[in-house]
Amino acid sequence: MTTTKGLEGVVAAQSSICSIIDGVLCYGGINIDELAENATFEEVVYLLWHGVLPKRDQLSALQKQLGESAAVPQEVIDSIRTYPRDVHPMAALRTAVSSLALYDKEAQDMSLEANYRKSIRLIAQTPVLVAAFARIRKGLEPVAPNPQFSVAQNFLYMLNGKEPTGTAIKAFDTALILHADHEFNASTFAGRVTVATLTDIYSGIVSAIGALKGPLHGGANEQVAAMLDEIGTIDNVEPYIRKALDNKQKIMGFGHRVYKDGDPRAKWLRQMSKELTQQVGREELYQMSIKIEDLVTKEKGLKPNVDFYSASVYVSLGLERDLFTPIFAISRMSGWTAHIMEQYENNRLIRPRAEYIGPVNQHYVPIDQR
């Protein structure tokens, strides 16, 4: 056996959902650049699930299904009211998604048709859960979803209680597309490992949420925002970054295991950051980010990943820092459900081996002789 730390470079399975080849990210064979420029998030959801872009009637049907499925059982909303107000939103989301299974009559139905319907409900209801918790912890009432709105529009509407601007909807929709899938990332693989036991889709999604919660995965953009807050002004950027580099501290939002020449998603978020920070009068966030990028790239040869500029984008949209990772989950729910359905379709229990490095030739010693 060959031991590979972190499974780096190990091909665990075949998939037709997403590819990263020579630094080019594609969903269903379509370059992420084309999708970010032209597609809607709902089109991307269909693409990840079916392998092709939807025709007009297919897209309309999916949009209608998502709108009709967005309402969350009242029992789940009531349970969210009992959560501690200071709990991290990812912990709240993990619990709330698990609760959805309790009220889904198809939760244990493992048929392809039932799993597809559950996937629609998960895509539609996850934004409702995140927005509901965000409002309840402030003492506000949740806002019911509008079945006529897109996923992006609905989330911003439910979060703030008012219709968002077209610019905000477009920016958020693009961010959802960029985060929708990323091959066998930690959370997706966790979800596939879980459902490979033939447990239900909710269990797989809860596993994925747990993995995404970590600061080395979905929590990285939250850490970037915290860093920007700590730096404060553009004049503090260089001394802060140089001190961090001298102390060999990790600069969040830079580098990626599968991209050696830069994350292809970062340029879209960089442009969005530039435009949004100008519109809301927070240009210093973008200017600080550019300066940080220049320093880290020059000193360490590392380029920004998807998390780095998404932080300033979300801040510009008025989103609270601890909601960044739940927003990641709203988007990645599309990829998670696609991979889980693919795993079910051609399942094999995922059970790797470990290289044993402990003591050998040990023997039992009676307790009074130890």
Side-chain angles (χ1 to χ4, degrees):
M1 294 187 294
T2 300
T3 303
T4 304
K5 191 174 182 179
L7 298 181
E8 183 171 359
V10 173
V11 177
Q14 294 180 324
S15 177
S16 62
I17 296 169
C18 175
S19 65
I20 305 169
I21 302 172
D22 296 329
V24 178
L25 172 63
C26 296
Y27 299 163
I30 303 177
N31 192 303
I32 191 65
D33 290 340
E34 293 185 37
L35 294 170
E37 185 172 2
N38 301 299
T40 63
F41 178 60
E42 285 76 9
E43 286 180 289
V44 167
V45 171
Y46 191 96
L47 172 63
L48 293 173
W49 286 354
H50 298 279
V52 295
L53 288 169
K55 297 179 181 179
R56 191 176 300 277
D57 61 330
Q58 293 169 327
L59 179 60
S60 295
L62 177 59
Q63 291 168 327
K64 184 173 185 292
Q65 290 168 331
L66 289 169
E68 292 174 345
S69 302
V72 169
Q74 187 59 46
E75 294 89 342
V76 176
I77 298 296
D78 290 342
S79 71
I80 291 175
R81 297 181 191 277
T82 69
Y83 296 173
R85 298 292 175 92
D86 60 350
V87 73
H88 194 285
M90 278 299 286
L93 179 62
R94 181 186 61 209
T95 302
V97 169
S98 184
S99 298
L100 289 177
L102 303 178
Y103 303 98
D104 190 333
K105 295 180 180 179
E106 294 187 303
Q108 300 303 319
D109 188 337
M110 298 297 288
S111 68
L112 176 64
E113 295 77 13
N115 281 324
Y116 186 82
R117 290 190 292 270
K118 284 180 280 187
S119 295
I120 289 174
R121 289 194 284 275
L122 282 161
I123 292 282
Q125 294 175 7
T126 301
V128 182
L129 297 176
V130 175
F133 176 74
R135 291 181 64 85
I136 287 171
R137 68 176 178 173
K138 293 180 178 179
L140 301 173
E141 279 299 304
V143 175
N146 186 324
Q148 304 303 316
F149 287 174
S150 68
V151 172
Q153 184 178 8
N154 230 341
F155 175 72
L156 296 175
Y157 164 69
M158 291 185 292
L159 187 66
N160 299 312
K162 59 182 181 181
E163 291 194 29
T165 66
T167 301
I169 295 169
K170 175 58 180 174
F172 192 62
D173 194 70
T174 302
L176 293 179
I177 291 171
L178 294 172
H179 288 87
D181 194 51
H182 207 237
E183 202 214 48
F184 277 16
N185 57 87
S187 56
T188 296
F189 192 63
R192 291 189 73 135
V193 169
T194 299
V195 301
T197 69
L198 294 185
T199 189
D200 64 282
I201 192 171
Y202 287 103
S203 296
I205 294 299
V206 171
S207 293
I209 291 172
L212 187 71
K213 184 175 179 289
L216 294 183
H217 190 9
N221 52 17
E222 185 178 335
Q223 299 301 313
V224 173
M227 177 179 67
L228 291 172
D229 282 347
E230 190 173 347
I231 293 173
T233 68
I234 194 165
D235 291 337
N236 292 335
V237 169
E238 186 161 356
Y240 180 97
I241 296 298
R242 291 201 180 279
K243 181 180 179 181
L245 293 175
D246 289 343
N247 293 333
K248 301 188 183 305
Q249 296 175 354
K250 182 177 178 62
I251 309 296
M252 300 304 288
F254 284 88
H256 200 290
R257 183 178 291 185
V258 301
Y259 295 120
K260 305 307 178 187
D261 295 318
D263 189 328
R265 301 166 294 180
K267 63 178 177 291
W268 290 98
L269 289 157
R270 184 191 295 113
Q271 183 60 34
M272 289 162 58
S273 173
K274 182 179 180 180
E275 294 173 359
L276 284 171
T277 55
Q278 287 177 344
Q279 289 181 14
V280 300
R282 297 291 304 275
E283 294 96 333
E284 79 280 0
L285 287 174
Y286 175 73
Q287 294 164 359
M288 288 165 60
S289 299
I290 288 291
K291 191 166 184 178
I292 293 169
E293 178 185 353
D294 290 343
L295 283 167
V296 175
T297 301
K298 179 181 178 181
E299 297 295 329
K300 299 292 292 183
L302 297 174
K303 297 182 179 181
N305 56 40
V306 71
D307 298 306
F308 185 66
Y309 283 100
S310 64
S312 52
V313 167
Y314 292 157
V315 169
S316 299
L317 288 173
L319 303 173
E320 296 167 278
R321 187 197 304 166
D322 62 0
L323 293 179
F324 292 1
T325 310
I327 288 167
F328 197 153
I330 291 171
S331 169
R332 189 57 58 87
M333 192 65 70
S334 57
W336 289 338
T337 49
H339 279 273
I340 285 173
M341 288 190 285
E342 184 180 65
Q343 183 68 38
Y344 282 142
E345 189 176 354
N346 187 25
N347 187 60
R348 181 174 175 80
L349 181 67
I350 300 173
R351 202 291 189 191
R353 297 291 307 279
E355 180 185 10
Y356 178 70
I357 59 172
V360 296
N361 298 322
Q362 298 280 82
H363 298 285
Y364 178 79
V365 178
I367 194 167
D368 59 356
Q369 298 177 25
R370 298 174 199 166

